[in-house]
Amino acid sequence: MEVEVKFRVNLGEIQPRIEAIADFDHEEVQEDLYFSVPLPALLRIRRIVNRDESILGYKLIKDSRNEEFEEIEVAVEDFEKTKEILKRLGFKEDVWVKKHRYVYKLGNVTFELNRVEGLGDFLDIEVISDDPEKAKEEIWKIAEMLGLGEEDVEPRLYQELIQERSKEKGK
């Protein structure tokens, strides 16, 4: 199970703190297209622009704070053709989430530092574990080391934040 806590951060302030404790792994420019499916399911195609990769992903949210997920991902050869197949199957395009991601590793912990277009900066601290409570303890221990607290948590999904922003602009 994927366990992650998302924090709203300032990239310039948090990046040096992460680099002091974790190793840089890689950088990605991502374009995620989410399709309209009923929550708690998520269906997306991710294009990793700078690596010329595409991934079809399905997530099932397992808790009310969007911290525990069952996830299935598969590499796909062609983003556009995969999108067309999903549309022909009746799935409707919902939201695009575009982000620049810096990935760091510390043992079994992954740090995903994201600058999300139109939303700002976020840090996902992630652990893959069969024991969600133990994983959350580990995440919170590291979050405290980075100076992050409960007040920094962003429990909403990126697509929810983008939908809220679109509604506000429409008013």
Side-chain angles (χ1 to χ4, degrees):
M1 176 173 298
E2 176 186 84
V3 181
E4 70 179 25
V5 178
K6 178 173 37 203
F7 299 91
R8 195 174 277 277
V9 297
N10 177 297
L11 190 140
E13 291 176 6
I14 199 74
Q15 195 166 22
R17 294 185 216 159
I18 295 168
E19 290 174 349
I21 63 169
D23 295 320
F24 179 75
D25 192 67
H26 66 278
E27 185 175 344
E28 295 180 352
V29 177
Q30 298 179 349
E31 297 175 345
D32 293 346
L33 173 57
Y34 285 86
F35 289 85
S36 292
V37 295
L39 290 174
L42 303 171
L43 178 64
R44 72 157 184 248
I45 311 172
R46 170 172 289 160
R47 179 176 16 222
I48 305 173
V49 178
N50 61 318
R51 298 173 80 156
D52 197 28
E53 295 175 15
S54 296
I55 300 166
L56 175 63
Y58 168 84
K59 281 187 172 189
L60 184 64
I61 302 167
K62 302 297 281 182
D63 70 320
S64 62
R65 285 177 47 115
N66 298 319
E67 296 177 347
E68 300 172 27
F69 303 92
E70 284 182 19
E71 183 174 42
I72 302 169
E73 292 184 325
V74 63
V76 293
E77 188 174 312
D78 188 304
F79 182 93
E80 292 300 326
K81 286 182 181 174
T82 304
K83 177 173 83 169
E84 186 61 27
I85 289 169
L86 291 172
K87 288 170 74 172
R88 288 184 186 199
L89 287 170
F91 294 101
K92 304 278 186 251
E93 289 185 32
D94 185 20
V95 172
W96 281 91
V97 178
K98 297 180 181 183
K99 58 189 168 227
H100 198 122
R101 171 174 281 177
Y102 304 91
V103 180
Y104 297 84
K105 302 273 187 179
L106 175 64
N108 67 329
V109 179
T110 301
F111 301 82
E112 296 170 341
L113 184 54
N114 300 303
R115 175 153 282 165
V116 182
E117 188 176 290
L119 296 179
D121 301 336
F122 299 87
L123 171 63
D124 297 332
I125 302 177
E126 175 185 302
V127 174
I128 305 298
S129 175
D130 292 331
D131 185 344
E133 293 312 311
K134 186 176 177 187
K136 287 179 191 178
E137 285 176 25
E138 190 169 2
I139 289 168
W140 276 105
K141 191 167 123 182
I142 291 169
E144 288 173 19
M145 288 172 49
L146 295 172
L148 298 170
E150 186 67 40
E151 69 279 2
D152 300 304
V153 171
E154 177 50 74
R156 293 169 292 181
L157 304 166
Y158 290 126
Q159 57 268 44
E160 290 175 310
L161 293 169
I162 288 173
Q163 288 167 339
E164 288 172 16
R165 190 190 68 179
S166 294
K167 286 178 187 173
E168 288 172 9
K169 282 185 174 181
K171 289 183 180 178

